[in-house]
Amino acid sequence: MSKPKPSNEQLINLLPESFKKALPSTAIDKLNAHDGEHWLLPPLVDLCARLREPGQQQHGTLASEGRAARANGFLHVVVPPDTTPILENGSLLKGLRERALEDGGIYLHILGALTEGLRGENPSNIAGLKKGGCIAVSNARRPFANDLVLLRTLEYAATFGMKVFFYPDEPSLSGQGVAHEGYIASYHGLQGIPWIAETVALSTQLLMVEETGIAAHFSQLSCKSSIELMRWAKDKGLPVTCDVAMHQLYLTDDNLEGFNAQAYVLPPLRSNTDQQAIRLGLTDGTIDAICSHHEPLNSTAKKAPFAESTPGISNFDTFMALACQLVHDGVLSTTQLIDKICLNPARIAGISEQYEQIGGAVLVNPNLEWQVTTQTMLSNGKNTPFFNQQMQGRVVETFFV
């Protein structure tokens, strides 16, 4: 059963005070003109997107992906450090943020490399990264040489008060896998990635957080046991938060049928049981935020055989429609949705003060029907398993500086 629809006044009251004070009268006029049929949200904050620049401009650029993000409601975007070159030099980050704002119209928030070259052997220059404006550090999905290196690196990061973003994966278990280990992978002859590859890594990382006291965020959790572990960690009072990628709430390994490379993503799409557990974790507050995990790819990246194609889904353009569907389906209320895609991500990224100072608003028509095509997708990447599907809900206007 769908949850009650908030009034226009309630929607405006959900905006932080500074947002309401700076809200353009045209935004309120347009909201009122649609008599409760539209939503007015704060700007969206994405906790993980790969914009492909620097180093992979054949797939996308700060300009192309920034414009796509902005048009789809994202004003603030967090990027991991595994670009080319790796984001480990604090002195170069200012220019990257300036170009993202000038070329793409978005505020870029950078995760610096936790270890030198992301090799997992020695700590990076965390002091320089903090001085350069990194909001946190991460080793992306790259492994650590051993658990002692992880422990000492976290202790070092803790001395600078830096938050750490984790993407849990135990490479000795995930290996060269390309799909969730189960019937679908076995039937198609694909090497599987067991759910325990994520949960074993998460278990270790949570124990390290408990030992060091460092604040940590766990991104793109994908399986039931990981959600259960996060409940344990939060009940224990550990300084942790977590997010899930939007596509994990709608797709499962069933979508790989027929070697559908458009559904190839890491972490992999899991089982229906895992998806149900993720949705429950979202509803009960175990999962703090939803990220896009936007990974645009050019037209050739998905044309190789499944296991040889490039993983990733272009998600900016479909994000709001899928978010609206969560409300239509009664998974979240509009208020809860705003927490998951706007306010909580800003707090997790440590940018709440900047977020409120910049302000802005997003006008959404949750009932607008449209089809996912190359023409309706603004991102350079047209790689999506939702291609040619009918969607309901879209950003119709942004009120950004």
Side-chain angles (χ1 to χ4, degrees), residues 368-388:
L368 178 65
E369 294 188 358
W370 61 285
Q371 187 177 28
V372 183
T373 67
T374 55
Q375 289 74 35
T376 58
M377 291 186 72
L378 302 176
S379 167
N380 266 14
K382 313 302 179 185
N383 50 301
T384 173
F386 299 106
F387 200 72
N388 284 332

PDB file of all heavy atoms in Angstrom, residues 368-388:
ATOM      1  N   LEU A 368       5.311  11.366 -14.151  1.00  0.00           N
ATOM      2  CA  LEU A 368       5.649  11.577 -15.555  1.00  0.00           C
ATOM      3  C   LEU A 368       6.155  10.281 -16.179  1.00  0.00           C
ATOM      4  O   LEU A 368       7.106   9.676 -15.705  1.00  0.00           O
ATOM      5  CB  LEU A 368       6.714  12.666 -15.685  1.00  0.00           C
ATOM      6  CG  LEU A 368       7.204  12.966 -17.102  1.00  0.00           C
ATOM      7  CD1 LEU A 368       6.074  13.548 -17.938  1.00  0.00           C
ATOM      8  CD2 LEU A 368       8.389  13.925 -17.070  1.00  0.00           C
ATOM      9  N   GLU A 369       5.514   9.843 -17.251  1.00  0.00           N
ATOM     10  CA  GLU A 369       5.922   8.612 -17.927  1.00  0.00           C
ATOM     11  C   GLU A 369       6.844   8.940 -19.094  1.00  0.00           C
ATOM     12  O   GLU A 369       6.597   9.879 -19.855  1.00  0.00           O
ATOM     13  CB  GLU A 369       4.681   7.846 -18.412  1.00  0.00           C
ATOM     14  CG  GLU A 369       3.829   7.326 -17.258  1.00  0.00           C
ATOM     15  CD  GLU A 369       2.706   6.413 -17.716  1.00  0.00           C
ATOM     16  OE1 GLU A 369       2.564   6.218 -18.953  1.00  0.00           O
ATOM     17  OE2 GLU A 369       1.983   5.899 -16.848  1.00  0.00           O
ATOM     18  N   TRP A 370       7.912   8.172 -19.215  1.00  0.00           N
ATOM     19  CA  TRP A 370       8.874   8.375 -20.287  1.00  0.00           C
ATOM     20  C   TRP A 370       9.580   7.062 -20.582  1.00  0.00           C
ATOM     21  O   TRP A 370       9.540   6.128 -19.775  1.00  0.00           O
ATOM     22  CB  TRP A 370       9.882   9.469 -19.930  1.00  0.00           C
ATOM     23  CG  TRP A 370      10.717   9.184 -18.708  1.00  0.00           C
ATOM     24  CD1 TRP A 370      10.313   9.257 -17.395  1.00  0.00           C
ATOM     25  CD2 TRP A 370      12.083   8.754 -18.676  1.00  0.00           C
ATOM     26  NE1 TRP A 370      11.337   8.905 -16.541  1.00  0.00           N
ATOM     27  CE2 TRP A 370      12.438   8.601 -17.300  1.00  0.00           C
ATOM     28  CE3 TRP A 370      13.042   8.512 -19.657  1.00  0.00           C
ATOM     29  CZ2 TRP A 370      13.715   8.201 -16.895  1.00  0.00           C
ATOM     30  CZ3 TRP A 370      14.311   8.111 -19.265  1.00  0.00           C
ATOM     31  CH2 TRP A 370      14.635   7.970 -17.898  1.00  0.00           C
ATOM     32  N   GLN A 371      10.224   6.990 -21.714  1.00  0.00           N
ATOM     33  CA  GLN A 371      10.913   5.770 -22.123  1.00  0.00           C
ATOM     34  C   GLN A 371      12.418   6.000 -22.140  1.00  0.00           C
ATOM     35  O   GLN A 371      12.893   7.068 -22.548  1.00  0.00           O
ATOM     36  CB  GLN A 371      10.436   5.326 -23.506  1.00  0.00           C
ATOM     37  CG  GLN A 371      10.989   3.970 -23.938  1.00  0.00           C
ATOM     38  CD  GLN A 371      10.441   3.529 -25.282  1.00  0.00           C
ATOM     39  OE1 GLN A 371      10.086   4.359 -26.117  1.00  0.00           O
ATOM     40  NE2 GLN A 371      10.368   2.220 -25.505  1.00  0.00           N
ATOM     41  N   VAL A 372      13.162   5.004 -21.684  1.00  0.00           N
ATOM     42  CA  VAL A 372      14.623   5.088 -21.662  1.00  0.00           C
ATOM     43  C   VAL A 372      15.140   4.803 -23.074  1.00  0.00           C
ATOM     44  O   VAL A 372      15.064   3.665 -23.560  1.00  0.00           O
ATOM     45  CB  VAL A 372      15.232   4.089 -20.657  1.00  0.00           C
ATOM     46  CG1 VAL A 372      16.750   4.247 -20.615  1.00  0.00           C
ATOM     47  CG2 VAL A 372      14.642   4.289 -19.258  1.00  0.00           C
ATOM     48  N   THR A 373      15.664   5.837 -23.725  1.00  0.00           N
ATOM     49  CA  THR A 373      16.220   5.708 -25.074  1.00  0.00           C
ATOM     50  C   THR A 373      17.521   6.500 -25.140  1.00  0.00           C
ATOM     51  O   THR A 373      17.862   7.241 -24.211  1.00  0.00           O
ATOM     52  CB  THR A 373      15.247   6.256 -26.135  1.00  0.00           C
ATOM     53  OG1 THR A 373      15.124   7.682 -25.963  1.00  0.00           O
ATOM     54  CG2 THR A 373      13.874   5.612 -26.022  1.00  0.00           C
ATOM     55  N   THR A 374      18.216   6.381 -26.246  1.00  0.00           N
ATOM     56  CA  THR A 374      19.439   7.164 -26.413  1.00  0.00           C
ATOM     57  C   THR A 374      19.133   8.656 -26.415  1.00  0.00           C
ATOM     58  O   THR A 374      19.964   9.465 -26.016  1.00  0.00           O
ATOM     59  CB  THR A 374      20.146   6.792 -27.734  1.00  0.00           C
ATOM     60  OG1 THR A 374      19.222   6.944 -28.817  1.00  0.00           O
ATOM     61  CG2 THR A 374      20.653   5.364 -27.697  1.00  0.00           C
ATOM     62  N   GLN A 375      17.934   9.029 -26.833  1.00  0.00           N
ATOM     63  CA  GLN A 375      17.568  10.434 -26.869  1.00  0.00           C
ATOM     64  C   GLN A 375      17.200  10.970 -25.493  1.00  0.00           C
ATOM     65  O   GLN A 375      17.476  12.128 -25.162  1.00  0.00           O
ATOM     66  CB  GLN A 375      16.383  10.663 -27.827  1.00  0.00           C
ATOM     67  CG  GLN A 375      16.714  10.519 -29.301  1.00  0.00           C
ATOM     68  CD  GLN A 375      16.914   9.064 -29.719  1.00  0.00           C
ATOM     69  OE1 GLN A 375      16.244   8.167 -29.205  1.00  0.00           O
ATOM     70  NE2 GLN A 375      17.844   8.841 -30.635  1.00  0.00           N
ATOM     71  N   THR A 376      16.571  10.140 -24.651  1.00  0.00           N
ATOM     72  CA  THR A 376      16.145  10.618 -23.331  1.00  0.00           C
ATOM     73  C   THR A 376      17.245  10.499 -22.285  1.00  0.00           C
ATOM     74  O   THR A 376      17.132  11.076 -21.209  1.00  0.00           O
ATOM     75  CB  THR A 376      14.900   9.853 -22.846  1.00  0.00           C
ATOM     76  OG1 THR A 376      15.180   8.449 -22.801  1.00  0.00           O
ATOM     77  CG2 THR A 376      13.713  10.124 -23.752  1.00  0.00           C
ATOM     78  N   MET A 377      18.309   9.750 -22.573  1.00  0.00           N
ATOM     79  CA  MET A 377      19.444   9.652 -21.660  1.00  0.00           C
ATOM     80  C   MET A 377      20.432  10.779 -21.957  1.00  0.00           C
ATOM     81  O   MET A 377      20.871  10.948 -23.096  1.00  0.00           O
ATOM     82  CB  MET A 377      20.135   8.295 -21.784  1.00  0.00           C
ATOM     83  CG  MET A 377      19.309   7.140 -21.265  1.00  0.00           C
ATOM     84  SD  MET A 377      20.229   5.578 -21.279  1.00  0.00           S
ATOM     85  CE  MET A 377      21.399   5.839 -19.937  1.00  0.00           C
ATOM     86  N   LEU A 378      20.776  11.540 -20.932  1.00  0.00           N
ATOM     87  CA  LEU A 378      21.670  12.677 -21.104  1.00  0.00           C
ATOM     88  C   LEU A 378      23.139  12.298 -20.938  1.00  0.00           C
ATOM     89  O   LEU A 378      24.025  12.960 -21.465  1.00  0.00           O
ATOM     90  CB  LEU A 378      21.302  13.778 -20.109  1.00  0.00           C
ATOM     91  CG  LEU A 378      19.854  14.293 -20.213  1.00  0.00           C
ATOM     92  CD1 LEU A 378      19.573  15.312 -19.128  1.00  0.00           C
ATOM     93  CD2 LEU A 378      19.596  14.888 -21.582  1.00  0.00           C
ATOM     94  N   SER A 379      23.411  11.247 -20.188  1.00  0.00           N
ATOM     95  CA  SER A 379      24.781  10.781 -19.989  1.00  0.00           C
ATOM     96  C   SER A 379      25.371  10.297 -21.304  1.00  0.00           C
ATOM     97  O   SER A 379      24.661   9.785 -22.174  1.00  0.00           O
ATOM     98  CB  SER A 379      24.805   9.640 -18.969  1.00  0.00           C
ATOM     99  OG  SER A 379      26.050   8.971 -18.955  1.00  0.00           O
ATOM    100  N   ASN A 380      26.699  10.445 -21.442  1.00  0.00           N
ATOM    101  CA  ASN A 380      27.382   9.855 -22.596  1.00  0.00           C
ATOM    102  C   ASN A 380      27.211   8.348 -22.627  1.00  0.00           C
ATOM    103  O   ASN A 380      27.191   7.732 -23.685  1.00  0.00           O
ATOM    104  CB  ASN A 380      28.881  10.195 -22.547  1.00  0.00           C
ATOM    105  CG  ASN A 380      29.212  11.432 -23.353  1.00  0.00           C
ATOM    106  OD1 ASN A 380      28.331  12.195 -23.733  1.00  0.00           O
ATOM    107  ND2 ASN A 380      30.495  11.638 -23.606  1.00  0.00           N
ATOM    108  N   GLY A 381      27.122   7.745 -21.449  1.00  0.00           N
ATOM    109  CA  GLY A 381      26.965   6.297 -21.360  1.00  0.00           C
ATOM    110  C   GLY A 381      25.513   5.889 -21.537  1.00  0.00           C
ATOM    111  O   GLY A 381      24.649   6.327 -20.782  1.00  0.00           O
ATOM    112  N   LYS A 382      25.240   5.045 -22.520  1.00  0.00           N
ATOM    113  CA  LYS A 382      23.882   4.529 -22.748  1.00  0.00           C
ATOM    114  C   LYS A 382      23.763   3.093 -22.245  1.00  0.00           C
ATOM    115  O   LYS A 382      22.830   2.375 -22.594  1.00  0.00           O
ATOM    116  CB  LYS A 382      23.524   4.596 -24.242  1.00  0.00           C
ATOM    117  CG  LYS A 382      23.856   5.927 -24.910  1.00  0.00           C
ATOM    118  CD  LYS A 382      23.164   7.121 -24.260  1.00  0.00           C
ATOM    119  CE  LYS A 382      23.539   8.418 -24.949  1.00  0.00           C
ATOM    120  NZ  LYS A 382      22.971   9.611 -24.278  1.00  0.00           N
ATOM    121  N   ASN A 383      24.707   2.663 -21.437  1.00  0.00           N
ATOM    122  CA  ASN A 383      24.764   1.301 -20.919  1.00  0.00           C
ATOM    123  C   ASN A 383      23.825   1.130 -19.735  1.00  0.00           C
ATOM    124  O   ASN A 383      24.144   1.504 -18.609  1.00  0.00           O
ATOM    125  CB  ASN A 383      26.201   0.937 -20.522  1.00  0.00           C
ATOM    126  CG  ASN A 383      26.866   1.978 -19.630  1.00  0.00           C
ATOM    127  OD1 ASN A 383      26.999   3.143 -20.005  1.00  0.00           O
ATOM    128  ND2 ASN A 383      27.288   1.563 -18.443  1.00  0.00           N
ATOM    129  N   THR A 384      22.656   0.611 -19.976  1.00  0.00           N
ATOM    130  CA  THR A 384      21.687   0.389 -18.903  1.00  0.00           C
ATOM    131  C   THR A 384      20.805  -0.804 -19.224  1.00  0.00           C
ATOM    132  O   THR A 384      20.352  -0.962 -20.373  1.00  0.00           O
ATOM    133  CB  THR A 384      20.798   1.629 -18.685  1.00  0.00           C
ATOM    134  OG1 THR A 384      19.763   1.306 -17.745  1.00  0.00           O
ATOM    135  CG2 THR A 384      20.184   2.128 -19.974  1.00  0.00           C
ATOM    136  N   PRO A 385      20.533  -1.651 -18.241  1.00  0.00           N
ATOM    137  CA  PRO A 385      19.601  -2.765 -18.448  1.00  0.00           C
ATOM    138  C   PRO A 385      18.150  -2.294 -18.527  1.00  0.00           C
ATOM    139  O   PRO A 385      17.259  -3.092 -18.807  1.00  0.00           O
ATOM    140  CB  PRO A 385      19.835  -3.660 -17.222  1.00  0.00           C
ATOM    141  CG  PRO A 385      20.409  -2.758 -16.193  1.00  0.00           C
ATOM    142  CD  PRO A 385      21.176  -1.703 -16.924  1.00  0.00           C
ATOM    143  N   PHE A 386      17.905  -1.007 -18.274  1.00  0.00           N
ATOM    144  CA  PHE A 386      16.551  -0.456 -18.351  1.00  0.00           C
ATOM    145  C   PHE A 386      16.239   0.111 -19.738  1.00  0.00           C
ATOM    146  O   PHE A 386      15.195   0.723 -19.935  1.00  0.00           O
ATOM    147  CB  PHE A 386      16.367   0.637 -17.298  1.00  0.00           C
ATOM    148  CG  PHE A 386      16.544   0.166 -15.886  1.00  0.00           C
ATOM    149  CD1 PHE A 386      17.691   0.498 -15.162  1.00  0.00           C
ATOM    150  CD2 PHE A 386      15.589  -0.625 -15.273  1.00  0.00           C
ATOM    151  CE1 PHE A 386      17.864   0.054 -13.863  1.00  0.00           C
ATOM    152  CE2 PHE A 386      15.751  -1.076 -13.969  1.00  0.00           C
ATOM    153  CZ  PHE A 386      16.890  -0.734 -13.258  1.00  0.00           C
ATOM    154  N   PHE A 387      17.130  -0.093 -20.686  1.00  0.00           N
ATOM    155  CA  PHE A 387      16.970   0.502 -22.021  1.00  0.00           C
ATOM    156  C   PHE A 387      15.650   0.059 -22.649  1.00  0.00           C
ATOM    157  O   PHE A 387      15.267  -1.108 -22.600  1.00  0.00           O
ATOM    158  CB  PHE A 387      18.141   0.105 -22.920  1.00  0.00           C
ATOM    159  CG  PHE A 387      18.325   1.002 -24.099  1.00  0.00           C
ATOM    160  CD1 PHE A 387      18.821   2.287 -23.946  1.00  0.00           C
ATOM    161  CD2 PHE A 387      17.974   0.582 -25.379  1.00  0.00           C
ATOM    162  CE1 PHE A 387      18.988   3.131 -25.037  1.00  0.00           C
ATOM    163  CE2 PHE A 387      18.139   1.412 -26.468  1.00  0.00           C
ATOM    164  CZ  PHE A 387      18.637   2.698 -26.305  1.00  0.00           C
ATOM    165  N   ASN A 388      14.948   1.033 -23.222  1.00  0.00           N
ATOM    166  CA  ASN A 388      13.648   0.853 -23.880  1.00  0.00           C
ATOM    167  C   ASN A 388      12.497   0.576 -22.915  1.00  0.00           C
ATOM    168  O   ASN A 388      11.360   0.351 -23.357  1.00  0.00           O
ATOM    169  CB  ASN A 388      13.692  -0.255 -24.949  1.00  0.00           C
ATOM    170  CG  ASN A 388      14.399   0.217 -26.209  1.00  0.00           C
ATOM    171  OD1 ASN A 388      14.407   1.393 -26.540  1.00  0.00           O
ATOM    172  ND2 ASN A 388      15.032  -0.719 -26.915  1.00  0.00           N
TER     173      ASN A 388
END
